[in-house]
Amino acid sequence: MKLSFPYLAGALALAAGLAGSTMLASAQSASDGIVVYNAQHESLTQAWSDGFTKETGIKVTIRNGKDMEFANQIVQEGAASPADVFLTENSPAMALVDAANLFEPLNADTLAQVPENYRPANGHWVGVAARSTVFAYDKNKLTEDKLPKSLVDLADPSWRGRWGAAPAGADFQAIVSALLELKGEEATASWLKAMKENVKPYKGNSVAMKAVNAGEVEGAVIYHYYYYGDQAKTGENSKKVSLHYFKNEDPGAFVSISGGGIPVSSKHKEQAQAFLKWVTGKGGQGVLRDGNSFEYAVGEDAKSNPALVPLADLHAPKVEPSKLNSKKVTDLMTAAGLL
């Protein structure tokens, strides 16, 4: 069949138009930027996003929420989730999404920026920051020889009514997840039963620390950065407080990993991969070093805020983050009457 010139010209114009439309749609899609489901501290993720956008020009829309709420939401949304990136404070929420096979594998160059002990073995998500478990204590009431040598010591009847925690929070539940992985279900259930008898519950780590400072309890199991954050401001809620690091690979020396992953539903996977590469690289880890979040940097050779005890000196137990079981923990804590 011989095509006339007008027909051929029209076909070429149509093809060019379609190609142009495709290119325009692609450009518009990229310019829309990425949506981050953020369960990390809002100020930290905002600093990461601002730095990333300044360097790349890619817009970041942040939706703030809580670890397990977002994790369950991503599982429910499945392929329809609008999230391009999921950031958490603790890794059990990451493990929940990963168990549902809803994470896109991360690029090898991003994974290479973070040591193996700060990311899961399967490479489906990556550590972006970390926080250490500590025993915040009233330095006017407790001397070093009277401090618990292990987290499990707080189950002893002698500690009844003397220590606090925030059992309903994701932070404390991550600590219990580590205890479960390290000591097993029977020992964890026994410890939680004793905790129910001994602990004074508070709504949040900062409230628990304030209670120590006010003399309501002699100590509290919290994460380290609440103390450093208060000290960097007025110090009014931590004047009488010191931190005890359990070390010795004790469950109480658990270092919780804050994670970052890309849901398989992401429509902007290239930009999402670039975001996590930036966060785990010099730019994002530098925000941790120079900012006031007081969370640990976890990037290869990255420096944390100089006010902190070095990560290497914490002697944390080795826990595979993908094995932290949030559902089992909540079941055990509910059975113990803590939730």
Side-chain angles (χ1 to χ4, degrees):
M1 175 181 175
K2 185 176 180 180
L3 297 177
S4 66
F5 179 77
Y7 181 92
L8 184 60
L12 289 172
L14 178 60
L18 289 172
S21 298
T22 301
M23 289 174 66
L24 178 61
S26 177
Q28 288 175 336
S29 178
S31 67
D32 289 340
I34 59 173
V35 173
V36 175
Y37 277 14
N38 177 52
Q40 246 294 350
H41 292 176
E42 294 182 19
S43 58
L44 175 57
T45 299
Q46 189 64 60
W48 277 337
S49 300
D50 291 345
F52 173 71
T53 299
K54 182 178 181 180
E55 190 168 312
T56 66
I58 299 171
K59 179 184 175 183
V60 179
T61 300
I62 302 172
R63 298 184 183 178
N64 294 305
K66 296 183 181 297
D67 274 13
M68 297 310 297
E69 289 177 1
F70 268 144
N72 283 302
Q73 183 175 332
I74 291 171
V75 170
Q76 290 172 358
E77 291 172 339
S81 178
D84 296 299
V85 174
F86 179 33
L87 296 178
T88 66
E89 289 189 345
N90 299 285
S91 54
M94 305 301 291
L96 178 65
V97 175
D98 194 22
N101 298 313
L102 290 174
F103 275 141
E104 184 81 7
L106 295 183
N107 291 341
D109 54 354
T110 297
L111 295 174
Q113 295 186 142
V114 178
E116 291 182 356
N117 51 321
Y118 298 120
R119 54 183 170 86
N122 64 14
H124 290 177
W125 57 272
V126 68
V128 295
R131 59 276 302 279
S132 174
T133 310
V134 294
F135 187 68
Y137 68 95
D138 186 335
K139 58 188 177 183
N140 295 327
K141 292 183 178 180
L142 290 176
T143 54
E144 189 172 339
D145 60 309
K146 294 180 180 178
L147 292 170
K149 290 181 172 55
S150 169
L151 179 72
V152 298
D153 291 347
L154 294 172
D156 191 273
S158 64
W159 280 99
R160 184 165 298 173
R162 296 171 58 199
W163 69 285
D171 286 353
F172 190 81
Q173 290 171 25
I175 296 169
V176 178
S177 293
L179 180 66
L180 176 62
E181 177 62 20
L182 292 164
K183 297 295 185 181
E185 183 174 337
E186 185 177 347
T188 301
S190 177
W191 188 83
L192 290 172
K193 182 179 179 181
M195 176 184 169
K196 171 63 177 176
E197 298 297 321
N198 291 354
V199 79
K200 285 192 175 182
Y202 293 97
K203 292 184 177 180
N205 283 278
S206 58
V207 179
M209 184 181 71
K210 288 179 185 179
V212 176
N213 193 63
E216 292 178 21
V217 287
E218 294 174 38
V221 176
I222 63 172
Y223 281 147
H224 75 280
Y225 60 84
Y226 291 93
Y227 170 83
Y228 286 100
D230 188 69
Q231 286 283 300
K233 295 175 183 176
T234 63
E236 62 180 325
N237 298 313
S238 57
K239 290 178 181 178
K240 300 177 182 178
V241 176
S242 286
L243 299 186
H244 172 53
Y245 293 83
F246 290 101
K247 300 186 177 182
N248 302 313
E249 298 188 4
D250 186 80
F254 170 62
V255 169
S256 183
I257 301 170
S258 299
I262 300 173
V264 294
S265 61
S266 171
K267 303 298 188 295
H268 308 97
K269 289 186 174 67
E270 185 178 346
Q271 291 89 350
Q273 292 277 4
F275 179 78
L276 286 182
K277 184 178 181 180
W278 190 91
V279 168
T280 56
K282 290 182 179 179
Q285 297 299 287
V287 169
L288 293 169
R289 179 193 63 227
D290 302 329
N292 58 3
S293 71
F294 294 102
E295 295 192 53
Y296 282 101
V298 295
E300 195 73 57
D301 299 323
K303 304 294 184 184
S304 297
N305 190 299
L308 304 180
V309 176
L311 264 176
D313 294 346
L314 299 179
H315 304 143
K318 295 179 181 179
V319 180
E320 166 56 44
S322 63
K323 293 183 178 180
L324 297 181
N325 191 328
S326 57
K327 184 181 184 306
K328 189 63 178 179
V329 165
T330 53
D331 287 347
L332 290 171
M333 293 183 72
T334 299
L338 289 162
L339 296 178

